[in-house]
Amino acid sequence: MNFSEVFKQTNQLCKVSPDGKYLATCVQYRLVVRDVSTLQILQLYTCLDQVSHMEWSSDSLFILCAMYNRGLVQVWSLEQPDWHCKIDEGSIGLVSSRWSPDGRHILNTTEFHLRVTVWSLCTKAVSYIKYPKACQKGIDFSRDGRYMALAERRDCKDYVCVFVCDDWHLLRHFETETQDLAGLEWSPNGCVLAVWDSCLEYMVLLYSLDGRLLSTYSAYEWSLGVKSVSWSPSSQFLAIGSYDEKVRILNHITWKKITQFEHPAIIDNTKTVYKEAEKRPGVGSDEMPLHNITMGATLFNTQSKYEICPLPVQIPVVKPDPDRASPKIGISVLAFSSDSRYLATKNGGFQVQSLNWHCSGDSLILLGKEQLCLCYMDTDQEDK
Amino acid sequence: MGEWWTTETSMENYEISSISHVTMSPSRRNNLVSMYSFPLSKSSYSVISAFCTEDNIPQCISYINQELASLGLSSTCIEAISPGGTGLSTVPALNAMYELLQIHRRSMCNLEELEREQLRKSSTLEHIQMSNTRLKDQLELSIREKSGLHETERQLQLKIKTLQSCLKTEKDEVQKLQSVIASRASQYSHDAKRKEREAVKLKERLSQLLIDRKDKKLAIDVLNCLGRADGKRRHWKTTKATSSHEDEMYKSLLSDYEASQRSLMLENAELKKVLQQMKKEMMHILSPRQPSTRGATADDSQEQADLDGEAKGGDASRESLDQYCEHAREQLTNSIRQQWRKLRNHVERLDSQASQAQNQLESNKEVIPRETHEDEMERMRCEVQQCREFIHAQQQLLQQQLNTSFDDETAALLNDCYTLEEKERLKEEWRLFEEQKRNFERERKNFTEAAIRLGREKKAFEEDRASWLKNQFLNMTPFTHRRRYSSSDGQSALSIRSEPEIRMSSVKSQLAKSSTYTTFSTPRPSQSAPVPSTTELYRTLRLIPDSSSSRHSNRGRWPECSNIEDGETLVRPKNRLRSGGMSIFSLGEDENSFT
């Protein structure tokens, strides 16, 4: 694997455009756009303040730069460098800013989540959405970009608003049976909305597109509940990772649990466990065992090697402090492969920032704090 | 002493009985004593008289002296007053009597004492015996009590254990709940703190705003408006638009449901097929091709299988056609359950028989049944496999047939139709092929005719040329009218030739159309040797565009040399043909364009 030279960036703001041709990075208050293949600088824009958030529009023509300190959003065009757009939220402040799926509207969440302002770049019109909820994942767009689900909290009750992204018309507004809604996510086929409660209560609710409650699922009571939720790309499965270190999979026909995966500290039942042993002393070894998956080792660094550990293997687990809130136990990251055959999970406090599958579905990239690992699946040996 | 008395009591029985009534001290139970004391007081005379008579006095005296000596009273002896006399000396006799009395008294005392002792001892013995029994009873009682206490102790121990385990579980649960409570409490406090911080920020901001009061208006500043991403114009918000949104939403939901229903139906059909297959296989396994050891059970199963077969015959059509009928589904599942039960019973029977065989027979005999059993199993497996394949094939065919839902006749008819269609098509193709073959023959014939004609024309042309040359040669003077005449001859020849050219054009068009024919056409050798072959002709035709430029130059070249005559002869007809050929080509192209 070859690496290019190091480019400066701030705030981890470094994104490739959706069409894969350009790379945008933010350095302090400048926005640098490079060509992906040659890494030459194509454009250079200057914002008014340090950029807190940067996002490409879906058609890769525009870039949004949000400056939360000043409550400003600036939009730059790739085709016309002298086109400019500045959105000033005024005294109401800005907490988050994002594109709509059509790439022509910007949704700004004001400070204290007082409201969500929808700015239209086509007509300069403004719409407001009141009482948005401040939670883990309060806004989600469906994959085809037609609908937006937004969590609302009014009079100490949770509601879900479904908007049509075409003209921001409120399609459905219904109350949910959660105590404290923590997040919502559309299924990839856009017909089912999964809504889950905060970690104080294990509750996952499934609503259909028109607001009917299809099913509820609650695995247990009283202990800390759902930590992360993920749909499979075929919309057939819903994986729920919880604080009890288990992943439960629901099927889309009956919405009942079909299987659950455990993450015990002593691994006994998987096929192979690969352990990276680094030759440098003093640095700990990373392990990432994945359930029911055979991994092909890849040597990307001559200094580290992967060796196969004989079962059973004990994972070095650090018991988190139970007195602290949001303890670092439980399943925090779930990722399905693109053909819905494999599920990669991260349990506990391991230093894994993200898990991403390749679109062909047979390789996985693990990003750690200082390390990067590519896993290739040997699909011939898989007999599941 | 007792023995002594018994010897004498026979003499004194009536006296003793008279004495027995005399009252004595109650402690004297001994009759011997009572009998002993009295005969001395009363009829002692009769007793003595029995012992001693007047004639045996010295014997008696000596006897008594002996007795006394034996008693230890040797000092006192009885003496007679005079030897042979009947009297006794009184002093020794009285002494003896006194001694005897003393002895008697002493012995009586002893006796009394002994009796007393005996009484005492017997009473203590009784007492001890009683206490012994009492103690034994007590001991038994206490042993029983002890065992009872052991028992209760054991039960209590058990209870303690269970209670301890309960306690442990309760403690664990309590701990768990406590930890849950603790985490929840920490979560709540965390949330509460966060909310409080946010509230504080709000308050600060509110106060700031109230104090500041210089509103920074929110605004958007865009250079120019953008078009929509999908190029459409913005719509007005009307009720039609809202209803269309609703429609779209419902449409997408419906399509998703339909897709899932379709996949579910497919799955369902697959599973039903599998079930049916399984049922057939099971029935086949249970069918009476088994060895006769099964006997009556086989018959039963056969009957059942027949019944099932009949039912199934009706079922199959119903099941596959009415696949969504509840009744058919129930029937299928019931029949499968039945078959499965039978199969299971059968297998159980086999197992029991096998185990029986193992138990009963000897080792060498054991092997044989098992072997035969295994052979049978193998055979059955093969049969099952074959039958399965057969059934699968049949099922496929059946499925095909039943999909169209026709009965046998029309199915046969359909099959016939299909073959008929095939035949028709084949005939058609043959016809076309024949036609094309004929066409080709015709073309070839034409071609050869044309070649022949060409040859003849060439010859004629040669003759013409020769004549022309001759004319030329003969008429050296420039008589232009003659030359014009000859050229008109040539032109007439040309015009004449245009006809076959036109005819050839059709040939060429066909050739152009079906150029493939020429590649494998066997070039028939032309009848006259100087006539070029068809391939050569074709080649020359091909060369026509090249020679078009050299049209004029050729005319001038004619008189030049003769060794290129052949080439010229080739060239000429080339030219001739070229003019037609150009038209031919254009015609051919037209033809091509039309085809």
Side-chain angles (χ1 to χ4, degrees):
Chain A
M1 197 183 267
N2 290 326
F3 294 97
S4 72
E5 61 182 84
V6 175
F7 297 117
K8 269 199 253 187
Q9 52 87 32
T10 50
N11 275 350
Q12 280 94 46
L13 291 170
C14 176
K15 294 201 177 124
V16 179
S17 66
D19 61 0
K21 292 197 206 143
Y22 309 105
L23 170 71
T25 49
C26 283
V27 186
Q28 293 288 326
Y29 55 93
R30 284 211 184 88
L31 174 68
V32 181
V33 180
R34 291 173 204 271
D35 182 64
V36 153
S37 40
T38 62
L39 292 176
Q40 298 284 353
I41 297 182
L42 296 172
Q43 304 278 7
L44 187 65
Y45 306 102
T46 309
C47 299
L48 294 168
D49 198 358
Q50 185 170 31
V51 177
S52 326
H53 176 69
M54 187 259 292
E55 195 173 327
W56 282 93
S57 70
S58 53
D59 51 3
S60 306
L61 295 176
F62 300 96
I63 305 178
L64 171 156
C65 295
M67 291 143 268
Y68 296 152
N69 301 335
R70 295 267 298 260
L72 282 175
V73 174
Q74 277 185 290
V75 186
W76 304 102
S77 159
L78 229 58
E79 293 175 323
Q80 293 177 284
D82 43 348
W83 184 90
H84 65 270
C85 167
K86 183 172 74 144
I87 300 174
D88 191 351
E89 284 289 340
S91 42
I92 206 161
L94 186 63
V95 150
S96 100
S97 177
R98 72 181 75 201
W99 283 104
S100 70
D102 62 353
R104 295 289 177 273
H105 294 86
I106 293 180
L107 288 95
N108 285 343
T109 312
T110 62
E111 211 167 342
F112 309 114
H113 282 78
L114 285 176
R115 62 166 190 241
V116 171
T117 331
V118 183
W119 296 94
S120 164
L121 295 178
C122 306
T123 64
K124 291 203 241 182
V126 188
S127 327
Y128 300 110
I129 302 173
K130 287 209 289 189
Y131 308 113
K133 184 150 186 201
C135 53
Q136 183 190 0
K137 188 169 178 191
I139 299 183
D140 193 33
F141 292 100
S142 64
R143 203 159 285 200
D144 51 5
R146 282 201 289 180
Y147 302 106
M148 175 180 92
L150 180 130
E152 193 187 66
R153 181 99 181 166
R154 217 192 269 244
D155 298 331
C156 305
K157 278 192 275 208
D158 289 318
Y159 297 88
V160 169
C161 306
V162 179
F163 290 95
V164 180
C165 292
D166 243 1
D167 54 0
W168 304 104
H169 154 71
L170 178 66
L171 187 67
R172 282 283 186 273
H173 182 255
F174 52 91
E175 188 180 341
T176 64
E177 292 175 10
T178 52
Q179 302 281 350
D180 184 13
L181 197 151
L184 37 76
E185 188 161 334
W186 287 103
S187 68
N189 63 2
C191 294
V192 182
L193 184 67
V195 165
W196 63 93
D197 214 333
S198 72
C199 57
L200 289 172
E201 178 123 0
Y202 195 126
M203 176 67 83
V204 175
L205 298 151
L206 291 140
Y207 289 94
S208 102
L209 175 56
D210 56 347
R212 289 174 297 127
L213 174 64
L214 293 173
S215 174
T216 69
Y217 177 71
S218 174
Y220 51 80
E221 279 191 298
W222 306 122
S223 293
L224 292 179
V226 175
K227 191 161 181 179
S228 58
V229 168
S230 168
W231 285 95
S232 78
S234 57
S235 307
Q236 285 173 321
F237 305 114
L238 179 66
I240 305 175
S242 49
Y243 280 91
D244 65 342
E245 305 189 340
K246 291 200 183 114
V247 177
R248 291 174 178 87
I249 312 252
L250 309 182
N251 77 82
H252 73 301
I253 300 180
T254 59
W255 302 112
K256 298 247 183 308
K257 180 181 86 170
I258 51 173
T259 181
Q260 78 180 30
F261 296 123
E262 322 243 334
H263 293 74
I266 298 180
I267 299 177
D268 220 348
N269 58 351
T270 58
K271 295 208 170 113
T272 34
V273 172
Y274 285 85
K275 181 171 163 161
E276 180 185 1
E278 292 197 347
K279 290 211 184 121
R280 283 173 278 162
V283 180
S285 54
D286 268 357
E287 288 176 52
M288 191 46 56
L290 303 174
H291 276 272
N292 295 327
I293 290 174
T294 52
M295 287 182 359
T298 168
L299 289 171
F300 66 92
N301 186 354
T302 50
Q303 285 171 332
S304 73
K305 271 185 74 133
Y306 284 90
E307 57 196 31
I308 300 180
C309 294
L311 300 172
V313 172
Q314 172 99 22
I315 308 181
V317 171
V318 174
K319 272 247 179 263
D321 187 4
D323 291 337
R324 288 191 56 209
S326 306
K328 277 194 172 28
I329 52 173
I331 318 291
S332 47
V333 181
L334 294 165
F336 272 98
S337 70
S338 50
D339 52 1
S340 308
R341 286 182 73 197
Y342 308 114
L343 174 66
T345 61
K346 179 201 130 181
N347 179 31
F350 291 108
Q351 296 284 346
V352 171
Q353 312 276 25
S354 72
L355 292 169
N356 282 301
W357 287 90
H358 190 265
C359 50
S360 66
D362 58 359
S363 55
L364 176 66
I365 184 164
L366 294 149
L367 269 179
K369 207 164 119 177
E370 294 161 8
Q371 284 141 332
L372 169 76
C373 172
L374 269 176
C375 308
Y376 291 94
M377 312 276 303
D378 200 355
T379 47
D380 292 334
Q381 289 176 15
E382 182 66 47
D383 40 327
K384 196 162 176 255
Chain B
M1 198 195 286
E3 288 170 6
W4 184 54
W5 264 109
T6 50
T7 52
E8 290 198 78
T9 49
S10 59
M11 279 185 273
E12 301 142 359
N13 270 341
Y14 68 101
E15 287 151 0
I16 293 163
S17 60
S18 62
I19 298 163
S20 66
H21 292 296
V22 175
T23 58
M24 289 204 36
S25 62
S27 61
R28 304 276 173 100
R29 282 200 230 140
N30 211 337
N31 289 333
L32 293 168
V33 174
S34 64
M35 280 190 276
Y36 186 67
S37 61
F38 274 101
L40 291 171
S41 58
K42 285 256 174 110
S43 56
S44 54
Y45 190 71
S46 56
V47 171
I48 291 168
S49 66
F51 170 59
C52 179
T53 54
E54 282 162 7
D55 25 329
N56 61 352
I57 291 175
Q59 287 103 333
C60 294
I61 291 169
S62 60
Y63 179 70
I64 285 174
N65 281 338
Q66 275 173 10
E67 288 287 326
L68 285 172
S70 70
L71 280 175
L73 302 168
S74 56
S75 58
T76 56
C77 296
I78 307 170
E79 291 166 2
I81 297 170
S82 56
T86 54
L88 284 172
S89 53
T90 48
V91 172
L94 283 171
N95 284 339
M97 272 201 291
Y98 180 69
E99 293 286 324
L100 283 171
L101 277 173
Q102 289 292 332
I103 288 171
H104 178 72
R105 211 169 265 139
R106 251 185 274 139
S107 59
M108 288 299 287
C109 284
N110 280 346
L111 189 66
E112 265 186 45
E113 266 184 46
L114 285 173
E115 277 177 359
R116 227 179 279 132
E117 276 293 326
Q118 200 207 2
L119 269 177
R120 219 183 296 135
K121 282 207 169 38
S122 68
S123 70
T124 52
L125 181 69
E126 268 176 34
H127 181 255
I128 283 171
Q129 274 181 350
M130 262 174 50
S131 63
N132 195 18
T133 53
R134 193 171 39 82
L135 285 171
K136 268 197 191 143
D137 285 340
Q138 265 186 10
L139 183 68
E140 247 184 63
L141 201 69
S142 56
I143 285 175
R144 225 176 286 137
E145 262 182 44
K146 188 169 91 118
S147 61
L149 285 171
H150 267 303
E151 193 55 44
T152 49
E153 194 194 320
R154 200 175 56 81
Q155 282 177 357
L156 286 172
Q157 290 273 12
L158 269 173
K159 222 185 199 181
I160 283 174
K161 255 187 228 133
T162 52
L163 283 173
Q164 271 178 350
S165 62
C166 279
L167 181 68
K168 204 152 73 82
T169 52
E170 290 295 319
K171 272 196 188 147
D172 286 341
E173 216 175 294
V174 161
Q175 231 172 13
K176 201 162 67 84
L177 283 173
Q178 274 179 348
S179 70
V180 161
I181 288 174
S183 60
R184 287 177 80 89
S186 64
Q187 198 74 30
Y188 279 132
S189 66
H190 176 79
D191 280 341
K193 275 191 203 129
R194 197 160 41 92
K195 288 204 160 44
E196 206 182 310
R197 265 182 244 129
E198 211 173 305
V200 161
K201 264 199 279 183
L202 258 175
K203 280 184 201 155
E204 274 178 21
R205 173 57 82 83
L206 183 65
S207 62
Q208 202 182 46
L209 283 172
L210 287 172
I211 290 168
D212 280 350
R213 279 280 179 182
K214 55 173 170 88
D215 260 345
K216 280 197 286 176
K217 284 182 69 169
L218 57 89
I220 179 168
D221 167 30
V222 189
L223 186 65
N224 55 331
C225 289
L226 300 170
R228 279 169 67 97
D230 46 3
K232 290 199 212 135
R233 283 158 56 120
R234 207 178 151 81
H235 302 292
W236 293 105
K237 263 192 195 168
T238 55
T239 47
K240 200 170 77 149
T242 53
S243 60
S244 72
H245 286 313
E246 296 266 326
D247 290 342
E248 258 182 55
M249 177 186 82
Y250 283 122
K251 247 184 257 175
S252 58
L253 267 179
L254 270 174
S255 60
D256 178 62
Y257 278 129
E258 271 168 18
S260 73
Q261 206 224 359
R262 246 177 279 138
S263 63
L264 281 172
M265 295 247 287
L266 278 173
E267 214 181 301
N268 210 9
E270 271 295 319
L271 289 172
K272 275 211 179 95
K273 249 190 277 179
V274 167
L275 276 178
Q276 279 181 350
Q277 209 175 9
M278 262 173 62
K279 193 177 82 165
K280 278 185 213 154
E281 283 168 21
M282 279 197 282
M283 280 173 55
H284 194 74
I285 288 172
L286 291 169
S287 72
R289 272 183 311 129
Q290 292 151 5
S292 57
T293 50
R294 310 288 169 259
T297 52
D299 289 339
D300 284 346
S301 57
Q302 180 182 15
E303 283 173 15
Q304 200 63 23
D306 281 344
L307 282 172
D308 269 357
E310 285 169 12
K312 193 193 97 76
D315 273 352
S317 53
R318 257 184 293 148
E319 275 167 3
S320 43
L321 290 178
D322 282 353
Q323 276 176 16
Y324 318 115
C325 175
E326 182 85 27
H327 186 55
R329 198 165 58 230
E330 273 178 31
Q331 255 182 350
L332 179 60
T333 48
N334 285 339
S335 58
I336 285 208
R337 277 205 200 99
Q338 240 177 5
Q339 296 299 322
W340 177 249
R341 239 176 275 136
K342 264 186 272 172
L343 190 66
R344 196 182 56 199
N345 293 339
H346 185 59
V347 169
E348 278 170 5
R349 243 179 288 134
L350 279 173
D351 273 343
S352 64
Q353 276 178 6
S355 62
Q356 273 178 19
Q358 271 182 9
N359 292 338
Q360 288 170 9
L361 300 178
E362 294 165 1
S363 59
N364 56 349
K365 278 192 189 172
E366 263 182 270
V367 174
I368 296 168
R370 200 185 294 163
E371 272 181 7
T372 52
H373 176 71
E374 277 171 9
D375 288 342
E376 253 186 75
M377 288 290 290
E378 270 304 315
R379 198 169 51 81
M380 272 162 51
R381 265 191 219 114
C382 294
E383 273 174 344
V384 164
Q385 186 66 26
Q386 283 171 9
C387 295
R388 210 179 280 164
E389 285 163 16
F390 187 59
I391 284 168
H392 192 63
Q394 283 214 337
Q395 218 176 18
Q396 273 181 351
L397 289 170
L398 193 70
Q399 204 74 10
Q400 279 177 13
Q401 285 202 349
L402 289 173
N403 274 341
T404 57
S405 71
F406 286 143
D407 58 348
D408 284 351
E409 289 179 348
T410 45
L413 199 65
L414 264 181
N415 280 342
D416 275 350
C417 288
Y418 291 139
T419 49
L420 199 68
E421 198 184 341
E422 295 267 353
K423 278 187 208 155
E424 292 285 340
R425 228 185 294 137
L426 201 64
K427 264 191 222 157
E428 185 71 18
E429 287 191 0
W430 264 108
R431 200 177 55 73
L432 273 170
F433 176 69
E434 294 290 324
E435 202 181 331
Q436 278 169 356
K437 196 163 145 192
R438 257 179 281 139
N439 283 347
F440 178 68
E441 291 294 317
R442 210 182 327 128
E443 279 168 31
R444 199 186 278 170
K445 221 192 306 175
N446 288 344
F447 216 74
T448 46
E449 277 173 20
I452 293 165
R453 258 201 308 279
L454 190 66
R456 276 198 214 115
E457 280 167 30
K458 192 174 163 194
K459 220 196 296 184
F461 178 75
E462 286 292 313
E463 284 168 13
D464 240 10
R465 184 169 159 247
S467 59
W468 188 81
L469 276 174
K470 214 178 8 177
N471 284 341
Q472 270 270 320
F473 193 69
L474 293 175
N475 313 326
M476 288 304 254
T477 55
F479 291 116
T480 52
H481 62 277
R482 275 216 188 154
R483 210 192 270 165
R484 242 183 271 127
Y485 178 72
S486 59
S487 64
S488 69
D489 269 341
Q491 278 181 0
S492 68
L494 274 172
S495 63
I496 292 167
R497 271 168 213 142
S498 66
E499 287 172 11
E501 284 167 3
I502 287 168
R503 250 180 283 146
M504 288 239 296
S505 70
S506 64
V507 171
K508 293 303 163 288
S509 69
Q510 281 189 337
L511 270 177
K513 196 167 64 169
S514 53
S515 54
T516 50
Y517 285 99
T518 57
T519 54
F520 52 78
S521 64
T522 54
R524 245 187 242 160
S526 45
Q527 281 148 13
S528 50
V531 173
S533 64
T534 51
T535 49
E536 269 188 86
L537 199 57
Y538 196 57
R539 236 183 287 127
T540 57
L541 278 172
R542 278 229 176 103
L543 291 170
I544 284 174
D546 290 358
S547 53
S548 58
S549 52
S550 56
R551 186 184 182 173
H552 299 288
S553 54
N554 280 334
R555 286 266 167 96
R557 269 206 226 126
W558 287 342
E560 279 176 346
C561 50
S562 58
N563 43 0
I564 56 164
E565 237 179 59
D566 287 342
E568 280 169 11
T569 54
L570 278 172
V571 165
R572 273 226 187 148
K574 232 194 298 179
N575 286 334
R576 296 258 168 84
L577 289 167
R578 178 196 36 88
S579 51
M582 294 284 274
S583 58
I584 285 165
F585 261 84
S586 58
L587 268 175
E589 279 163 19
D590 289 338
E591 284 281 2
N592 277 335
S593 63
F594 284 141
T595 52

